[in-house]
Amino acid sequence: MIAYIVRRLLFLIPTLFAGVLLVFGIMHLAPGDPVLLLAGPEADPRIYDELRQQWGLDKPVYIQCLMYLGNLVRGDLGTSLVTGRPVIADIGAYLPATVELTIFALFLSVVVGVLLGVVSAVRPNTLLDHATRTVSLLGVATPVFWLGLLLIILFHLRLSWLPGGGRIGVNISPPRSITGSYLIDSLVTGNWAALGSSALHILMPGFVLAFAQIARVARITRASMLGIVGLDYVKAAKAKGLKESKVVSRYILRNAWIPILTMVGEVAGTLLGGAVVTEVVFSWPGMGRYAVDSIMALDYKAIVAFAIISTALYAFINLIVDVMYVWVDPRISYS
Amino acid sequence: MKRSVRMALVLLLGVTTALAFVAAAYATDLVYARPSLGTKFLDPHQGGNSGRYQNLNLVYDTLVFSDDGGTLYPLLAEWWEASEDYTQWTFQLRSGIVFHDGTPLNAAAVKFSFDRIVGIGNHTVAQWRYMGKDSTIEVVDDLTVRFKLSKPYPLFLTELVYACYGIISPTAVQQHATAADPWATEYFSSNECGSGPFQFAEYVPGERLILAKNTKYWGGVEGVKCAAKVDRLVMRIVPDATTRAIMLQSGEVDIAEQLPVDLLGQLATAPGIKVEYYPLQAFAEIQFNGGKAPFNNEKVRQAISHAIDVDSIINGVERGHVLPMYGVATQGMIGYDPTRQRPTYDVALAKQLLAEAGYPNGFDATLIWATERRAEFDLEAVLIQEYLGQIGIRLTLQSLAWSAELEKQLNADFDMSLMTMTSGTGDPSSIFDKYLAPPHPAAVGQYSFRWVDAPPIVAELVEYGTTIWDPATRQHLYAFLDAVGTAAAVNIPLYQIPVAFAMRSNVHGFVYDTLRRACFYFVSKD
């Protein structure tokens, strides 16, 4: 198993390499000149040249790409043209917010999605099943920005139950950074005000991000379980007089986990990508917003870094899912 | 189970109560929602977008300041003196002023700040980045500094008003400088050390910047700049306009900016909220690629100027909240002539002019714009397409990213463009230079919307304007130039852009001046 994990991690290197090449190519095909954008159209040519040289843009694209890869190996992602700070520092500031939101949304998606799917599969074609499927359909069909604004109007403006956006209240300083997650860090440091505030702030964006994915998980759970319900060993278990809850949890759900797990891997990737709109609507200071701002400013070092991080995270999630297959189904082996 | 639910409820109640107490402790917070802080938002000497000027004026002071009417006031300088040929400018500094790190303000700090502009040398709008290479600064004594310019510059004081001439603490810069970054640009991209009425308190990337009241502020100049009235200014980054509007309605924020026209209309009638408009020295316009046929034909440009009912754009899309605009000199700027008239909306005359220009059946053209410059352009482009269709000009509409539009302009790769234009310093010289002066021989790119075939005397008069100081003479000169440019339909000015701020009714004294300075130090809250 360890050899398999190491092999998969090694495969990540050419994947990242291809990602960098692709993003570099697209960036240089896109119209616009980042130096012109910052220096202004009537800049002194000396300053313009100096900036192009400083950012390495005076060299051919393949040299720029090679230089970037060389710096990447040393862990240097360059300096952002927009923030003036090292890109790695920016990512350190923005990535934890996205990861925290994504994990929270993933947790919601899996717990609620599997629950709804089980309920739906156990009582097929009943009112409960129809209701669950309707909610699932709504989840897939509802645009994230629309649902987000609707919830802000309801829970923030009308009911005043939840904050309208941000990650923590303005009167509360973020907790001392240990993991970058406000929830975990405030819990670990015993900062209860920060914990309460950050918990209230993550509820709406987390739910909105999870809503569509709850539907996907619920549908795959239902379909996967319905394919197993009629099998002989389930009938035998029922015939033995086992409790229905035991039959569902031990005999049906356990064997339905493989497709659900595959879906969870996909959902995690979608959540990472889908966080962009949610982050904008809920003023969540994450990587999605950082990427959008960087693209608008043609801040290519930040854009490439975003692509690398996204690719790595996606590949890592897939690896975790593959490893979990073995745990869920002992018949699977990577030896 | 029930017990644990009860426990959770008690805990939630406790946390909520604690939060309420914490909130009460900051009763004089002013919370301001904006889509971004701008690039390199706390360093006056580095380049960046215009959004950051709202921050710089709050934490830095300049030698000279101006009010909304353009009247100059001494700020850090107590008085100044110019030599007769405008090459030497001497400033006497006020005594007893300290930077936020406690370093005293003196002549050496002023020289250091101007040297830093030249030293950083990249993409700041400060003209000193050029002038400073050939000019010298002399520290006469502890509180006297003299600028010796390489050529006469009567408008030097007007230039120094700009926030990019904020004076920074040399001690703080030296403290954070490294061998690779001798001017500490990385640190000051998101930190400051000026002497302004607010000072840095907290920055959470992507979420907020908190500025605290500088309790040791020297006092400022009455009616122009003063000590802050609120304890903290919390700038919240809220990228979505609808979310900003909702947060304002709920009271979570006190002031919100950059709201689209339809939301502003709703907020104006909402209880407890007011919407205020502040004129900017900026305007929206249609630009022509003056070097390309058929737009190099004056009659074609004039025909277009008569074919568009600009008032319908102002009253329809903009709902009457913008100011009419008949030239490139905006209201409040030297050269503005209130008696000037807009070309009449006259389709028959437009058709006649187009026929006289040799295009009786019209022609095909493309109109480009960037929504990120102004959201209302999306609708206005459609209206313009309709109007020009009436005289046979078949417009293709093309919405671009700002970077792509800029590149097309500089490569003269466009027909017509919907744009916003602003005068950086508020002085007419910079704006007239863009339209009526010949291209700068040394510049990297060139604005292709210039009046390419302007008579040479026009360019000479534009140059002359930068060598005189007398306001009355300059008023006559620029009003004349504006009339000449308008008659030639060099561009079609649509309207002067005001900036709208929606705020809670209990917020008083907010001023946003024509140089894009949000003067939060005047603001108080009931």
Side-chain angles (χ1 to χ4, degrees):
Chain A
M1 174 60 87
I2 290 172
Y4 172 76
I5 293 173
V6 170
R7 200 163 61 242
R8 283 287 299 272
L9 287 175
L10 286 175
F11 277 140
L12 190 58
I13 295 170
T15 310
L16 289 179
F17 180 72
V20 170
L21 285 184
L22 194 70
V23 175
F24 242 90
I26 293 171
M27 281 304 300
H28 284 85
L29 284 175
D33 179 348
V35 181
L36 211 54
L37 207 58
L38 277 179
E42 300 203 326
D44 187 320
R46 287 171 298 179
I47 287 169
Y48 180 84
D49 291 343
E50 194 182 298
L51 278 174
R52 282 185 70 84
Q53 204 178 346
Q54 188 183 325
W55 296 337
L57 296 169
D58 56 331
K59 298 179 176 61
V61 179
Y62 70 93
I63 299 280
Q64 286 182 44
C65 195
L66 283 174
M67 283 172 63
Y68 186 85
L69 287 169
N71 290 334
L72 184 64
V73 171
R74 290 195 295 272
D76 178 9
L77 293 173
T79 302
S80 162
L81 310 182
V82 174
T83 64
R85 305 193 317 158
V87 172
I88 195 88
D90 281 345
I91 288 173
Y94 290 97
L95 184 63
T98 297
V99 171
E100 182 175 50
L101 182 62
T102 304
I103 291 176
F104 183 80
L106 186 65
F107 178 76
L108 266 185
S109 308
V110 174
V111 171
V112 181
V114 169
L115 202 67
L116 286 179
V118 168
V119 168
S120 205
V122 170
R123 301 273 182 272
N125 300 319
T126 59
L127 189 64
L128 196 65
D129 180 29
H130 292 312
T132 308
R133 283 160 70 187
T134 308
V135 171
S136 302
L137 197 68
L138 270 176
V140 177
T142 309
V144 169
F145 72 91
W146 182 80
L147 178 64
L149 289 174
L150 212 64
L151 292 187
I152 294 176
I153 290 171
L154 180 63
F155 290 107
H156 173 65
L157 184 61
R158 300 277 174 238
L159 301 172
S160 302
W161 289 359
L162 294 170
R167 210 175 161 201
I168 195 164
V170 291
N171 297 326
I172 297 167
S173 289
R176 185 164 54 84
S177 185
I178 300 166
T179 63
S181 158
Y182 282 7
L183 288 172
I184 296 171
D185 292 350
S186 50
L187 196 64
V188 170
T189 55
N191 187 344
W192 307 118
L195 178 66
S197 181
S198 50
L200 290 177
H201 278 79
I202 203 169
L203 279 180
M204 269 201 290
F207 174 75
V208 168
L209 190 58
F211 192 47
Q213 310 312 321
I214 288 173
R216 289 176 70 190
V217 175
R219 288 166 76 92
I220 196 79
T221 306
R222 181 180 183 276
S224 180
M225 284 182 67
L226 284 179
I228 293 169
V229 163
L231 294 181
D232 289 346
Y233 70 87
V234 177
K235 285 179 187 163
K238 282 181 180 169
K240 273 195 336 189
L242 289 178
K243 277 187 186 172
E244 189 181 7
S245 58
K246 201 167 187 178
V247 174
V248 169
S249 61
R250 294 253 181 103
Y251 289 78
I252 304 176
L253 188 57
R254 192 165 178 185
N255 288 292
W257 262 116
I258 291 288
I260 297 172
L261 208 55
T262 310
M263 176 59 79
V264 168
E266 273 182 42
V267 163
T270 313
L271 287 174
L272 274 174
V276 176
V277 179
T278 313
E279 284 176 6
V280 169
V281 173
F282 288 96
S283 319
W284 192 265
M287 280 295 284
R289 270 179 49 202
Y290 180 66
V292 171
D293 291 346
S294 305
I295 290 167
M296 297 309 282
L298 298 175
D299 190 352
Y300 77 99
K301 285 187 179 164
I303 298 168
V304 177
F306 174 75
I308 291 171
I309 300 287
S310 305
T311 312
L313 278 176
Y314 200 76
F316 189 64
I317 289 166
N318 273 321
L319 176 62
I320 292 176
V321 169
D322 286 351
V323 170
M324 283 181 77
Y325 284 155
V326 178
W327 175 65
V328 170
D329 188 347
R331 290 170 300 177
I332 297 174
S333 164
Y334 295 122
S335 57
Chain B
M1 183 66 184
K2 281 181 183 170
R3 193 178 166 191
S4 60
V5 170
R6 275 204 301 273
M7 286 284 284
L9 283 174
V10 169
L11 185 68
L12 189 67
L13 190 69
V15 169
T16 316
T17 313
L19 290 178
F21 275 115
V22 175
Y26 292 103
T28 52
D29 270 4
L30 185 74
V31 185
Y32 165 39
R34 50 192 303 206
S36 81
L37 294 173
T39 49
K40 297 170 187 174
F41 53 87
L42 281 179
D43 192 338
H45 305 147
Q46 292 191 69
N49 60 13
S50 55
R52 70 205 196 95
Y53 289 114
Q54 295 187 24
N55 319 326
L56 298 177
N57 172 48
L58 303 173
V59 292
Y60 291 96
D61 284 336
T62 47
L63 290 174
V64 186
F65 207 69
S66 68
D67 64 11
D68 224 12
T71 307
L72 295 170
Y73 293 86
L75 194 62
L76 290 179
E78 197 163 20
W79 53 259
W80 61 74
E81 191 178 75
S83 63
E84 276 190 15
D85 63 353
Y86 297 112
T87 56
Q88 289 199 24
W89 293 83
T90 307
F91 295 87
Q92 176 71 37
L93 305 177
R94 293 177 198 273
S95 59
I97 296 177
V98 292
F99 291 104
H100 298 149
D101 65 345
T103 304
L105 170 86
N106 55 24
V110 174
K111 180 176 173 5
F112 179 87
S113 294
F114 279 76
D115 287 347
R116 188 169 182 262
I117 294 172
V118 179
I120 293 174
N122 63 12
H123 62 265
T124 169
V125 289
Q127 288 298 315
W128 186 256
R129 74 189 193 263
Y130 304 123
M131 292 160 55
K133 290 180 191 289
D134 311 318
S135 307
T136 55
I137 302 173
E138 181 190 340
V139 176
V140 179
D141 60 42
D142 192 45
L143 291 176
T144 312
V145 61
R146 181 172 298 137
F147 293 76
K148 293 180 177 175
L149 310 182
S150 55
K151 63 176 185 180
Y153 191 27
L155 306 180
F156 189 51
L157 292 177
T158 312
E159 171 77 11
L160 294 187
V161 164
Y162 224 174
C164 56
Y165 292 103
I167 307 300
I168 196 167
S169 161
T171 318
V173 173
Q174 282 151 6
Q175 196 182 342
H176 295 97
T178 61
D181 184 14
W183 298 107
T185 54
E186 186 187 321
Y187 177 80
F188 283 101
S189 290
S190 52
N191 289 277
E192 60 81 28
C193 197
S195 58
F198 285 96
Q199 63 188 68
F200 179 90
E202 182 186 80
Y203 170 55
V204 182
E207 183 151 8
R208 66 194 181 208
L209 168 70
I210 300 180
L211 301 176
K213 176 182 183 172
N214 174 9
T215 52
K216 293 176 183 163
Y217 189 59
W218 58 278
V221 175
E222 196 182 343
V224 178
K225 196 165 185 178
C226 66
K229 293 186 168 68
V230 292
D231 290 333
R232 300 197 315 169
L233 171 63
V234 181
M235 295 192 187
R236 286 194 60 176
I237 306 168
V238 183
D240 185 72
T242 311
T243 311
R244 288 198 292 281
I246 295 170
M247 284 175 150
L248 181 72
Q249 283 180 282
S250 74
E252 188 166 339
V253 304
D254 298 307
I255 302 183
E257 67 162 27
Q258 292 191 41
L259 298 165
V261 171
D262 55 341
L263 277 178
L264 286 169
Q266 290 169 27
L267 288 172
T269 56
I273 290 174
K274 55 184 176 182
V275 176
E276 291 184 357
Y277 293 85
Y278 301 88
L280 263 188
Q281 290 193 347
F283 57 92
E285 56 166 343
I286 299 172
Q287 297 174 340
F288 298 110
N289 184 349
K292 182 182 176 185
F295 305 103
N296 54 357
N297 187 323
E298 192 172 303
K299 290 205 176 206
V300 169
R301 300 195 302 260
Q302 286 168 338
I304 293 172
S305 74
H306 285 289
I308 298 169
D309 183 4
V310 177
D311 287 337
S312 75
I313 293 175
I314 291 176
N315 296 320
V317 182
E318 301 290 344
R319 303 191 189 182
H321 291 306
V322 294
L323 300 171
M325 176 89 191
Y326 308 130
V328 294
T330 47
Q331 287 188 36
M333 181 187 277
I334 291 175
Y336 173 71
D337 179 1
T339 63
R340 187 168 308 127
Q341 297 293 312
R342 181 194 300 289
T344 50
Y345 171 53
D346 187 338
V347 177
L349 177 60
K351 282 182 175 170
Q352 183 193 326
L353 284 165
L354 208 56
E356 286 172 17
Y359 298 95
N361 300 319
F363 51 83
D364 294 320
T366 303
L367 176 70
I368 60 171
W369 76 95
T371 307
E372 63 205 86
R373 297 288 289 186
R374 188 163 176 80
E376 286 74 24
F377 279 169
D378 288 351
L379 267 179
E380 288 163 13
V382 177
L383 278 178
I384 291 165
Q385 186 186 39
E386 285 285 319
Y387 283 124
L388 296 193
Q390 292 180 60
I391 61 167
I393 298 176
R394 296 166 294 278
L395 270 191
T396 302
L397 304 183
Q398 195 177 14
S399 171
L400 301 168
W402 163 231
S403 54
E405 187 188 14
L406 182 61
E407 197 169 62
K408 273 185 176 288
Q409 280 196 344
L410 297 176
N411 294 329
D413 180 25
F414 77 106
D415 297 328
M416 295 167 64
S417 166
L418 254 178
M419 264 290 284
T420 56
M421 185 55 72
T422 183
S423 153
T425 59
D427 190 80
S429 56
S430 63
I431 208 85
F432 280 83
D433 180 78
K434 286 188 176 73
Y435 290 89
L436 305 183
H440 294 190
V444 172
Q446 296 295 343
Y447 288 121
S448 44
F449 51 79
R450 289 176 187 283
W451 189 9
V452 175
D453 49 357
I457 182 70
V458 172
E460 286 168 25
L461 287 174
V462 172
E463 175 64 24
Y464 175 63
T466 63
T467 64
I468 53 173
W469 173 246
D470 177 49
T473 313
R474 298 184 86 220
Q475 168 66 28
H476 288 303
L477 174 73
Y478 285 113
F480 170 73
L481 283 171
D482 211 7
V484 171
T486 308
V490 175
N491 65 338
I492 302 178
L494 296 173
Y495 47 81
Q496 185 173 348
I497 302 170
V499 174
F501 284 85
M503 59 193 87
R504 305 289 305 175
S505 304
N506 63 343
V507 173
H508 305 289
F510 178 71
V511 174
Y512 188 82
D513 72 17
T514 52
L515 289 183
R516 295 175 185 268
R517 294 178 300 211
C519 307
F520 282 106
Y521 30 80
F522 292 137
V523 177
S524 60
K525 249 175 88 176
D526 288 344

